[in-house]
């Protein structure tokens, strides 16, 4: 704990110092927001269903200082783009490109909602791997949303900031994602997963005590990159909308598993399989929440694995690297494993006994080498705290 606090102080001081190097002044504050692992509930958010993510220790940090004018200057420690300077009065979704679309998108959405956002200088440093399905994008949006909300005195609630981040992602970046990522980043608490009803937007903290059960969640970042703004994610969303329309329900959330047999006769094969994934996945989230409450984390393994098979076969958003990570983890002691995030690359998670961690890691590395795949990045994660001001 003391160690964690010291680390945090150092992280804050580093961000402030690097801000000062670039901008020759101290920041007004430092905010951080975590990436997330979605334990279960994939592509259910935009179908008004259920998700169960938890925040991880990898975070995006922003050091920000307000300016007297309407200029924004932004720089990230990642990449070599250097300082980006824009006039906030000229912001429009069509003129924000690259990584700055995330922070500037948030500033623009706040402006659209009547918040007067002054000019600012911003330094971003993030330890969330990009494009790994751990939501580096929402981590940036949420850190910036909290920072500007505080500095502009907007007093928006966390629930409102979730929607600000989502709108930036949808309308500025152009990725038609739901509220999963921003909710996980803003609403998580340490040692818990967030059970979120994406229709009512009700969030409930579900104890997820990995250490107490001698378990570890391993993330296997396949380093196969995905791009949600491009066609596949949008195509899945369109299939879900088509399925709901043909079946006459407001959203796929409104279908029960025992209604699937009837749905099969009304839909083409592909649309039916997309629908079946969403309907069974919602059911698996509810079962996971119940199993965690009644028996704890050791009881959820099979649900995770069933979720993966549904994504592989019905929703068709997996890839050979993700499948290999899951199969190898399961063959080497995992209680359950699945791809996590939007799919088409990114990361898999495996729920494993802490005692077998080294062996499982090694088995996955070996399997990837034998398959001729790029070496994956493998690390353990624990349910961490949500976003907040750290300096
Ligand atoms: P994910 O959210 O799963 O990591 P996305 O494609 O949604 O993947 O978001 C990744 C994008 O977020 C990157 O292409 C980049 O534009 C931006 N990004 C993430 N981390 C950083 C960073 N540290 N600095 C600058 N941009 C970043
Ligand atoms: Mg993202």
């Amino acid at each position: 704990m003391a160690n964690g606090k010291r680390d945090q102080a150092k992280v804050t001081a580093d961000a402030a110092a690097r801000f000062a190097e670039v901008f020759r002044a101290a920041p007004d504050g430092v905010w951080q927001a975590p990436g997330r692992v979605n334990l279960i509930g994939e592509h259910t958010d935009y179908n008004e269903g259920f998700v169960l993510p938890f925040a991880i220790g990898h975070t995006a940090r922003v050091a920000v200082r307000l300016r007297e004018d309407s200029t924004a200057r932004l720089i990230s420690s990642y990449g070599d783009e250097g300082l980006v300077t824009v006039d906030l009065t000229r912001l429009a979704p069509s003129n924000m490109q690259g990584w700055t679309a995330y922070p500037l998108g948030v500033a623009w959405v706040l402006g659209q909602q009547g918040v007067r956002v002054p000019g600012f200088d911003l330094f971003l440093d993030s330890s969330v791997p990009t494009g790994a399905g751990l939501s580096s994008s929402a981590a940036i949006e949420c850190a910036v949303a909290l920072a500007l909300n505080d500095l502009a005195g907007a007093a928006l609630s966390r629930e409102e900031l979730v929607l600000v981040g989502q709108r930036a992602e949808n309308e500025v970046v152009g990725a038609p994602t739901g509220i999963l990522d921003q909710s996980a980043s803003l609403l998580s608490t340490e040692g818990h997963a967030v059970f979120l009803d994406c229709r009512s937007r009700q969030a409930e903290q579900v104890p997820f005590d990995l250490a107490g059960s001698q378990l570890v969640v391993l993330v296997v970042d396949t380093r196969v990159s995905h791009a949600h703004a491009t066609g596949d994610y949008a195509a899945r969303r369109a299939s879900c909308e088509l399925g709901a329309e043909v079946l006459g329900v407001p959203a796929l959330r409104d279908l029960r598993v025992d209604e699937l047999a009837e749905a099969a006769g009304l839909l083409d094969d592909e649309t039916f399989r997309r629908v079946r994934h969403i309907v069974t996945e919602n059911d698996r989230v509810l079962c996971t929440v119940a199993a965690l409450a009644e028996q704890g984390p050791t009881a959820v393994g099979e649900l995770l694995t069933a979720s993966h098979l549904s994504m592989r076969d019905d929703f068709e958003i997996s890839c050979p690297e993700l499948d290999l990570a899951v199969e190898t983890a399961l063959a080497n002691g995992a209680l359950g494993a699945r791809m996590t995030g939007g799919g088409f690359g990114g990361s898999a998670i495996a729920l494993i006994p802490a005692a077998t961690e080294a062996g499982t890691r090694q088995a996955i590395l070996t399997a990837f080498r034998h398959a001729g795949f790029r070496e994956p990045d493998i690390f353990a994660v624990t349910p961490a705290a949500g976003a907040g001001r750290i300096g």
Side-chain angles (χ1 to χ4, degrees):
M1 194 63 188
N3 225 344
K5 279 205 179 120
R6 206 165 41 238
D7 288 352
Q8 189 64 75
K10 185 172 174 334
V11 161
T12 307
D14 278 355
R18 293 174 76 180
F19 177 98
E21 266 170 37
V22 179
F23 297 112
R24 305 270 151 221
D28 293 333
V30 182
W31 290 259
Q32 89 175 354
R36 59 99 189 97
V37 156
N38 191 20
L39 185 61
I40 194 160
E42 222 62 78
H43 286 256
T44 45
D45 61 347
Y46 58 77
N47 289 295
E48 301 185 15
F50 306 110
V51 294
L52 189 63
F54 62 90
I56 59 176
H58 299 66
T59 61
R61 274 98 45 186
V62 294
V64 184
R65 180 187 173 92
L66 289 189
R67 298 170 55 90
E68 303 281 302
D69 57 16
S70 62
T71 301
R73 297 189 298 170
L74 309 96
I75 190 163
S76 168
S77 61
Y78 175 85
D80 49 16
E81 206 173 321
L83 193 66
V84 175
T85 303
V86 299
D87 177 355
L88 289 180
T89 62
R90 294 175 174 275
L91 277 191
S94 57
N95 64 20
M96 291 178 251
Q97 278 110 28
W99 78 270
T100 58
Y102 298 95
L104 292 175
V106 167
W108 178 79
V109 172
L110 286 171
Q112 293 296 74
Q113 294 184 191
V115 176
R116 208 192 69 76
V117 180
F120 58 88
D121 291 334
L122 180 149
F123 169 82
L124 164 69
D125 187 31
S126 177
S127 59
V128 187
T130 70
L134 303 177
S135 206
S136 66
S137 61
I140 299 172
E141 290 152 9
C142 294
V144 173
L146 271 187
L148 295 181
N149 186 48
D150 278 1
L151 292 175
L156 295 178
S157 67
R158 283 178 181 248
E159 287 75 11
E160 288 170 315
L161 295 178
V162 165
L163 300 180
V164 168
Q166 185 204 13
R167 229 184 120 186
E169 187 108 13
N170 291 173
E171 294 178 29
V172 179
V173 178
T177 48
I179 59 168
L180 163 65
D181 299 345
Q182 293 81 7
S183 299
S185 191
L186 283 163
L187 306 180
S188 284
T189 56
E190 195 175 345
H192 294 77
V194 181
F195 172 40
L196 184 70
D197 178 334
C198 298
R199 173 169 279 166
S200 69
R201 302 199 199 106
Q202 283 273 339
E204 192 185 309
Q205 304 294 328
V206 178
F208 186 48
D209 181 12
L210 288 170
S213 306
Q214 283 94 47
L215 292 176
V216 167
V217 169
L218 268 194
V219 171
V220 182
D221 174 5
T222 63
R223 296 157 94 190
V224 175
S225 71
H226 66 86
H228 287 167
T230 60
D232 288 325
Y233 190 100
R236 293 306 179 280
R237 192 166 176 153
S239 289
C240 292
E241 279 160 14
L242 173 66
E245 193 188 318
V246 172
L247 297 171
V249 288
L252 293 183
R253 145 73 175 272
D254 298 301
L255 280 185
R256 291 189 317 262
V257 173
D258 63 11
E259 292 170 316
L260 280 172
E262 197 186 327
L266 299 169
L267 300 170
D268 65 88
D269 173 63
E270 184 182 283
T271 308
F272 173 67
R273 286 185 293 110
R274 305 298 188 244
V275 168
R276 183 166 60 187
H277 165 70
I278 300 300
V279 174
T280 58
E281 185 79 350
N282 275 328
D283 189 54
R284 282 186 289 270
V285 176
L286 297 177
C287 291
T288 303
V289 171
L292 281 176
E294 286 156 23
Q295 300 165 69
T298 46
V300 305
E302 278 174 24
L303 290 158
L304 303 186
T305 305
S307 169
H308 184 76
L309 299 182
S310 178
M311 290 188 283
R312 186 190 69 184
D313 301 335
D314 275 354
F315 219 58
E316 295 181 278
I317 54 172
S318 190
C319 66
E321 290 84 351
L322 288 168
D323 291 339
L324 184 64
V326 167
E327 283 157 23
T328 310
L330 290 173
N332 288 274
L335 304 183
R338 64 187 285 276
M339 54 149 282
T340 186
F344 312 105
S347 299
I349 54 170
L351 182 68
I352 61 169
T356 66
E357 184 179 338
T360 309
R361 270 174 192 272
Q362 196 49 55
I364 294 170
L365 288 172
T366 305
F368 270 60
R369 201 166 46 244
H370 285 165
F373 293 156
R374 195 170 165 198
E375 184 175 307
D377 193 15
I378 306 177
F379 49 92
V381 289
T382 47
R389 185 170 187 159
I390 56 169

